[in-house]
Every structure is written in C-alpha cells, then in structure tokens.
C-alpha cells in the first residue's frame, strides 16, 4: 500500500459531527458527547475509505488571527462572541460543543493521532504548511472551500470535501476545481479574493461575481495580471476597470488574508497511524467508559488495527 498523509481540518469536522449527532448522547455525568462520538466515526470512515498511512488533526490555535483582522477588520466578525485584548477572540461556539473539545483532544491523544496547531494561525495555515512540505501524497479533509487552493495534481494533493455530508464526499483534483469554478487551483485564492466570501467576512470586489472573476483569471492569469491589464486599459470593459479601481484598497490587502500560509515553522511529528498496543487499548477503553463513547471507540480502534494489515 502506498503511503498517504491525511490532514484533518479538525474544527470543520467536529462542528459537522456536533450538528449531525443528537445532543441527547451524553456521558454518565451528563456531559454531551455527540460531537466526540461523531468525530470518531468521521475519522473511522475516512481511514477505512481512503486508507491513509499517516494522519494529523490540524488545529485552530487561533481561529481569527489578529494579523488577518488588521488587514481586513470584517474578517470573521460575525463569529466573534467576545473580543479579547490579548490573545485570540472568543468564537461563537454552542456551549454543548465547547465542553466537548477537550474530550476530543484527549481521545485523539489516546488513539495516537497527532494534533498540530500554531500560535497566531488557523488550522488552514497548518494544513497549508504540512501539505506543502509533505513528501507523500496528501488528502486534505475539510468543508472549507478556501483550501481548494492547495489542490495540486502534480504533487498528488487532493481535497476531500465534506460540505455535502459524509455520505456524499467529493474528492477534488485539478479537473474538478476547474469544472466547478472555471479556474485552476493555483488561481483559486485570487478567485476567492475577487468574489469575496460572506462566511469569512470578506467583501470581495463590489460587482464582481464568480463568472466575472473566472473570466478575468482566464484572460489574465492572476490578480497582478488583472490589475496590470486594468491599468493599461486592455482586455476588459470600462465598467470592470472601474469596479477594480474602486476595490483597490481591499485588493491591496485581501490576497494575504485569503492565501493559506505554507511556511510555518512547525515541529516534525510522527504522524504514522499504528494499531494500539494492549495497554493503549485498555486506556482507550477506560476513556470510552468514562465518556460513554461505546461503539464509536471500538470502531476506530478496529480501523487502526487494519492499517498495518492493509
């Protein structure tokens, strides 16, 4: 079996798990564990279906980095529950999910699944860095379109897109990104910059939607090429040039916000998936009993047992 690295956009997946499993699922002390169970089942499905040999749970150590907010103040503003003077702002997270995040981390540790985050950076940036420096084929698992910019057939980097549900996963390659949006993955960040994204508080360039953005990139290659053409008055209508001119202050800063960071100084981690030894299985079973994880823990342990066998 060919070695393959899987990178999880962890928050994207545990939010999906939280909303996909009833919060009546609870531990003996009454703590909801629906997100924990659902997250384990998601990983089990991914490991069983796509057969990664290495896996990293990438973490939002800072879900809204100040350096991105300094550039675009509206960045993720609608998701802020509390502004913090020093340190990451508090994100709007349902209380029944928030109490489960530490349990998710404990469970991943018990299974030997590495968690990697980076101060002042999002999980997207961790994923971007690990995917860029990987020497193995890579599967990025996310419900976030921003990570489409990492797709790269030449390096065998794919995105497994979860937005349509775990029963309807999409595997995105160069061709499928082009089919969806009319742009190459390498153009996707510029495309998203022009179009904007209300879910991230990115306004985009007023009056330029997906079709116009894709057309401009097809004609001029990238954002610098588009702006150079606009300045020279060639290759686009006067109306589009006016819209780009009006959006100039936004376009001066947005590319840095939208582009995932690919060169973080992350530690080397041993991300290989391995079957649990007997002591680790006993510890995982005790954790499962404490938090009423039941068959979800059993299924993922069984999936790890099959990693070496495959």
């Amino acid at each position: 079996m060919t070695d393959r690295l899987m990178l999880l956009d962890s928050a994207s997946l545990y939010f999906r798990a939280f909303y996909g499993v009833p919060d009546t699922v609870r531990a003996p002390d009454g703590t909801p564990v629906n997100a924990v169970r659902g997250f384990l089942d998601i990983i089990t499905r991914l490991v069983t279906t796509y057969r990664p040999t290495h896996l990293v749970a990438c973490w939002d150590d800072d879900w809204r980095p100040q350096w991105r907010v300094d550039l675009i103040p509206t960045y993720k503003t609608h998701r802020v529950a509390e502004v913090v003077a020093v340190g990451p702002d508090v994100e709007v997270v349902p209380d029944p999910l928030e109490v489960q995040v530490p349990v998710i981390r404990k469970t991943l540790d018990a299974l030997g699944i590495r968690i990697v985050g980076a101060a002042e950076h999002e999980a997207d940036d961790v994923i971007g860095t690990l995917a860029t420096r990987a020497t193995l084929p890579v599967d990025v698992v996310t419900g976030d379109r921003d990570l489409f910019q990492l797709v790269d057939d030449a390096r065998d980097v794919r995105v497994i897109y979860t937005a349509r549900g775990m029963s309807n996963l999409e595997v995105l390659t160069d061709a499928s990104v082009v089919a969806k949006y009319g742009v190459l993955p390498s153009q996707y960040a510029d495309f998203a910059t022009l179009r904007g994204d209300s879910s991230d508080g990115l306004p985009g360039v007023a009056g330029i939607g997906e079709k116009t953005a894709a057309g401009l990139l097809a004609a001029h290659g990238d954002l610098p090429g588009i702006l150079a053409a606009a300045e020279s008055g060639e290759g686009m209508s006067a109306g589009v040039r006016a819209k780009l001119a009006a959006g100039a202050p936004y376009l001066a800063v947005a590319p840095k916000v939208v582009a995932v960071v690919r060169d973080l100084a992350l530690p080397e981690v041993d991300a290989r998936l391995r079957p649990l030894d007997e002591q680790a299985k006993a510890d995982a079973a005790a954790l499962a009993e404490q938090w009423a994880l039941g068959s979800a823990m059993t299924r993922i342990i069984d999936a790890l047992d099959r990693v070496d066998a495959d």
Side-chain angles (χ1 to χ4, degrees):
M1 183 175 67
T2 303
D3 281 358
R4 190 167 201 97
L5 170 63
M6 179 171 281
L7 303 174
L8 305 182
D9 182 1
S10 300
S12 170
L13 297 179
Y14 65 62
F15 266 92
R16 173 165 293 280
F18 175 74
Y19 288 110
V21 179
D23 65 5
T24 52
V25 178
R26 294 179 178 263
D29 68 357
T31 302
V33 291
N34 56 319
V36 187
R37 281 202 197 180
F39 190 50
L40 290 179
D41 279 338
I42 286 172
I43 297 175
T44 298
R45 173 164 187 153
L46 291 167
V47 168
T48 301
T49 303
Y50 298 102
R51 307 293 180 88
T53 54
H54 298 69
L55 188 144
V56 177
C58 301
W59 217 259
D60 280 325
D61 279 10
D62 189 338
W63 68 278
R64 186 175 181 253
Q66 187 60 44
W67 59 269
R68 283 190 164 110
V69 177
D70 289 343
L71 294 169
I72 298 183
T74 58
Y75 184 64
K76 296 186 177 180
T77 301
H78 60 295
R79 288 160 54 184
V80 176
E82 178 185 348
V83 176
V84 177
V86 179
D89 291 336
V90 178
E91 185 178 11
V92 176
V93 178
D95 290 345
L97 172 56
E98 188 170 9
V99 298
Q100 297 183 64
V101 174
V103 184
I104 290 171
R105 292 186 66 106
K106 287 180 183 177
T107 305
L108 293 173
D109 285 340
L111 294 166
I113 294 174
R114 304 304 180 196
I115 299 170
V116 178
E120 300 179 355
H121 288 84
E122 302 172 55
D124 286 10
D125 303 315
V126 175
I127 290 169
T129 297
L130 293 178
T132 298
R133 79 182 192 190
T135 57
L136 308 177
V138 177
D139 285 334
V140 173
V141 186
T142 184
D144 186 349
R145 294 183 299 175
D146 290 343
L147 290 170
F148 292 177
Q149 63 190 272
L150 298 176
V151 171
D152 186 345
D153 284 3
R155 298 189 61 250
D156 203 357
V157 178
R158 312 182 299 186
V159 165
I160 298 171
Y161 189 45
T162 65
R164 292 165 57 186
M166 293 304 297
S167 61
N168 197 13
L169 295 170
E170 293 180 81
V171 178
L172 297 182
T173 60
D174 286 3
S176 48
V177 174
V178 171
K180 270 180 172 291
Y181 300 106
V183 299
L184 294 166
S186 59
Q187 298 172 309
Y188 189 85
D190 287 344
F191 172 75
T193 296
L194 289 163
R195 175 201 64 199
D197 189 341
S198 59
S199 68
D200 280 341
L202 297 173
V205 176
I208 293 186
E210 290 194 355
K211 185 176 180 180
T212 302
L216 289 170
L217 286 164
H220 306 292
D222 57 17
L223 186 55
I226 292 169
L227 296 178
E231 185 174 353
S232 67
E234 298 176 356
M236 68 189 70
S237 68
V240 170
R241 289 200 303 273
K243 290 169 184 175
L244 291 169
Y250 162 79
L251 291 173
V253 296
K256 185 174 181 180
V257 175
V258 175
V260 299
V261 178
R262 302 185 187 219
D263 58 356
L264 294 176
L266 297 177
E268 294 292 336
V269 295
D270 179 3
R272 181 170 286 278
L273 292 172
R274 296 180 174 89
L276 302 187
D277 62 27
E278 292 309 311
Q279 183 59 57
K281 285 183 178 179
D283 293 342
L287 191 66
E289 183 175 359
Q290 178 185 358
W291 296 105
L293 302 180
S295 58
M297 181 66 87
T298 303
R299 284 189 290 270
I300 194 166
I301 289 174
D302 288 346
L304 293 176
D305 277 343
R306 293 192 296 270
V307 168
D308 279 356
D310 294 338

